Short mmCIF file of all heavy atoms in Angstrom, two decimals:
data_model
loop_
_atom_site.label_atom_id
_atom_site.label_comp_id
_atom_site.label_asym_id
_atom_site.label_seq_id
_atom_site.Cartn_x
_atom_site.Cartn_y
_atom_site.Cartn_z
N VAL A 32 119.98 77.63 136.39
CA VAL A 32 120.11 77.13 137.76
C VAL A 32 121.24 76.11 137.79
O VAL A 32 121.19 75.06 137.13
CB VAL A 32 118.81 76.47 138.24
CG1 VAL A 32 119.02 75.83 139.62
CG2 VAL A 32 117.69 77.50 138.30
N GLU A 156 143.02 90.60 119.28
CA GLU A 156 144.32 91.25 119.38
C GLU A 156 145.12 91.10 118.09
O GLU A 156 145.83 92.02 117.67
CB GLU A 156 145.11 90.67 120.56
CG GLU A 156 146.37 91.43 120.91
CD GLU A 156 146.09 92.85 121.40
OE1 GLU A 156 144.97 93.10 121.93
OE2 GLU A 156 147.00 93.71 121.25
N ASP A 216 149.61 94.50 98.43
CA ASP A 216 150.84 94.71 99.23
C ASP A 216 150.87 94.01 100.58
O ASP A 216 151.84 93.33 100.88
CB ASP A 216 151.08 96.22 99.43
CG ASP A 216 152.51 96.49 99.89
OD1 ASP A 216 153.41 96.39 99.04
OD2 ASP A 216 152.71 96.76 101.07
N GLN A 259 155.64 90.33 116.48
CA GLN A 259 154.75 91.31 117.12
C GLN A 259 153.39 90.69 117.43
O GLN A 259 152.83 90.89 118.51
CB GLN A 259 154.56 92.53 116.21
CG GLN A 259 155.72 93.50 116.19
CD GLN A 259 155.33 94.83 115.59
OE1 GLN A 259 154.40 95.48 116.06
NE2 GLN A 259 156.05 95.24 114.55
N ALA A 325 171.07 61.32 126.80
CA ALA A 325 171.25 61.00 128.22
C ALA A 325 170.04 61.49 129.00
O ALA A 325 169.69 62.67 128.95
CB ALA A 325 172.52 61.63 128.76
#
Side-chain angles (χ1 to χ4, degrees):
V32 174
E156 190 64 26
D216 196 75
Q259 283 196 56

